[in-house]
Amino acid sequence: MRRSLSAGPSGGVRLVPDVLAAAVVVLVFWAPPTLDTASPARQTAGWALAAITGLAMVSRRRFPGAATVAAAIATVSGNALGVCQDPMLAVAWCLYPLAVARASRTRLPVLVLACVALSLAAVTGVPSSNMTGLGQRAVVAVAAVSVAWLLGTMVGRGIAATRETERARVQLEVARDVHDVVGHALGVISAEAGVTRGLADAGEQELRDSLAGIELHARRALEEVQVLVRGLRSAPPPVTRLSSVVDTTRAAGVDVRARITVDEQVEDAVGAVVLRIVQESLSNVVRHAAGAPCTVDVHEAGGAVVVRVRDRGPGAAGRQHTGFGLAGMSERAQLVGGTVTWGDHPGGGFEVNARLPVRGGGR
């Protein structure tokens, strides 16, 4: 299974907007009133509080809670001392990642309160004589904090929903793989056990050989399930394992004639679908057409991988389908932009046909 991974921005690149925002806030809202004050003590306090605010804005991604609290205390203290005119923009900047992180835990009353506060800020009138003073800063502060919290909550919930969708997709893929691997192994083991039980006069060595084959197939299935669960990347390309699936089915007593000419360099995602379609088709032969000869044909034609698996058994009328295997094949093919059809063959038996793009155009 191949999953595309998009590399996110590095820590240094992500830090650039925080540094720029901190510089703007300090230079615009802290520097002018701090420089204008005549008190050396207030100037010292102003620069110290400005440094705390800038540091909080830069470190907001790593410590969103502490950064928000520090920026709020510094901004309120600076406004009280008359060395700051920031309308809580630094606090809003630090609050955004905190809202993203806590989006799933934010209750509806909190969101309603933020919406009400934003609405009141939007309709509140500030006298023209106080447009540059405390009244305007209070209105802008309420609006900025409310917008930061609402926007962060919305983005956080969107990220959580995307992660949940991806988790469900991965679980579905693993479930399909486990179904195919375990179903094929159990079908072969059941067939071998049935053949062995039918040999009333079998010798000890023959019984030992049959049990050894059952053990081998069980061990292979367990190893393959472990590879799926652990997500190992060192597994061989899926198309190279087709011959092993065919050999396992032959060991179960099925006469399989195989022609596999597909390029081993085919994309892993497509190769995995080819492998699972062949595996599930042969498992159905073992379950529903025991003893019937079977042909497997996998080749490339017209830029696509063509898969045909046909048995000479009783056809669809003699089968009891649960729907999971055939539906799983169809879902897999759709993921890479291919199609799968199945049904009775005009010449007798049951046939599965699949056509998949070589490079997998579904993702």
Side-chain angles (χ1 to χ4, degrees):
M1 235 184 306
R2 174 180 295 174
R3 295 185 179 89
S4 59
L5 300 176
S6 58
S10 63
V13 174
R14 294 177 63 186
L15 200 61
V16 171
D18 294 333
V19 173
L20 292 177
V24 169
V25 168
V26 171
L27 293 176
V28 174
F29 298 109
W30 284 88
T34 299
L35 292 174
D36 288 343
T37 185
S39 171
R42 287 191 177 185
Q43 278 195 358
T44 302
W47 291 122
L49 292 173
I52 293 174
T53 302
L55 182 61
M57 295 178 67
V58 171
S59 60
R60 67 174 187 142
R61 299 180 189 273
R62 294 190 61 185
F63 311 104
T68 302
V69 172
I73 294 175
T75 302
V76 171
S77 300
N79 276 279
L81 293 173
V83 294
C84 174
Q85 296 177 346
D86 177 18
M88 304 296 281
L89 295 183
V91 176
W93 186 262
C94 298
L95 185 64
Y96 173 79
L98 181 64
V100 172
R102 295 178 177 269
S104 60
R105 288 173 284 180
T106 301
R107 304 303 179 190
L108 181 61
V110 178
L111 297 177
V112 172
L113 182 61
C115 290
V116 171
L118 180 60
S119 301
L120 291 176
V123 300
T124 298
V126 179
S128 57
S129 59
N130 199 22
M131 286 300 292
T132 60
L134 185 60
Q136 185 195 34
R137 292 207 298 270
V139 172
V140 175
V142 172
V145 171
S146 300
V147 168
W149 187 261
L150 291 173
L151 183 60
T153 300
M154 181 181 65
V155 172
R157 291 189 173 182
I159 293 174
T162 301
R163 288 176 178 171
E164 180 63 23
T165 301
E166 176 65 12
R167 184 187 66 82
R169 184 188 67 80
V170 172
Q171 282 185 338
L172 181 59
E173 287 188 358
V174 173
R176 291 195 197 104
D177 286 335
V178 171
H179 169 272
D180 292 346
V181 172
V182 175
H184 180 74
L186 291 180
V188 171
I189 290 173
S190 176
E192 286 190 337
V195 172
T196 303
R197 186 180 60 179
L199 300 175
D201 56 347
E204 180 180 352
Q205 186 59 43
E206 191 172 2
L207 292 175
R208 287 181 178 275
D209 292 341
S210 297
L211 291 175
I214 292 175
E215 180 186 8
L216 176 62
H217 297 146
R219 185 182 298 112
R220 285 179 177 175
L222 179 59
E223 291 173 352
E224 194 162 357
V225 169
Q226 290 174 340
V227 169
L228 294 174
V229 173
R230 295 173 184 171
L232 297 177
R233 299 295 184 179
S234 58
V239 293
T240 65
R241 295 150 58 192
L242 285 171
S243 58
S244 175
V245 173
V246 172
D247 292 340
T248 301
T249 307
R250 285 172 178 159
V254 179
D255 180 14
V256 183
R257 297 184 180 181
R259 182 174 75 97
I260 301 174
T261 59
V262 66
D263 188 355
E264 293 184 0
Q265 299 302 318
V266 68
E267 185 175 304
D268 283 355
V270 177
V273 176
V274 171
L275 175 66
R276 298 310 179 199
I277 289 176
V278 173
Q279 193 171 47
E280 176 63 23
S281 299
L282 292 178
S283 295
N284 287 334
V285 174
V286 173
R287 294 191 197 102
H288 308 296
C294 173
T295 57
V296 176
D297 184 9
V298 182
H299 64 277
E300 293 183 29
V305 179
V306 179
V307 181
R308 291 193 182 95
V309 181
R310 179 193 172 191
D311 64 65
R312 304 306 199 275
R319 300 171 184 241
Q320 294 180 353
H321 296 296
T322 62
F324 295 113
L326 295 176
M329 286 194 295
S330 179
E331 291 171 355
R332 289 177 184 281
Q334 291 175 6
L335 287 175
V336 295
T339 58
V340 177
T341 59
W342 55 80
D344 290 336
H345 191 277
F350 192 82
E351 184 177 55
V352 174
N353 283 284
R355 189 176 184 88
L356 312 167
V358 174
R359 294 301 171 192
R363 292 192 223 184

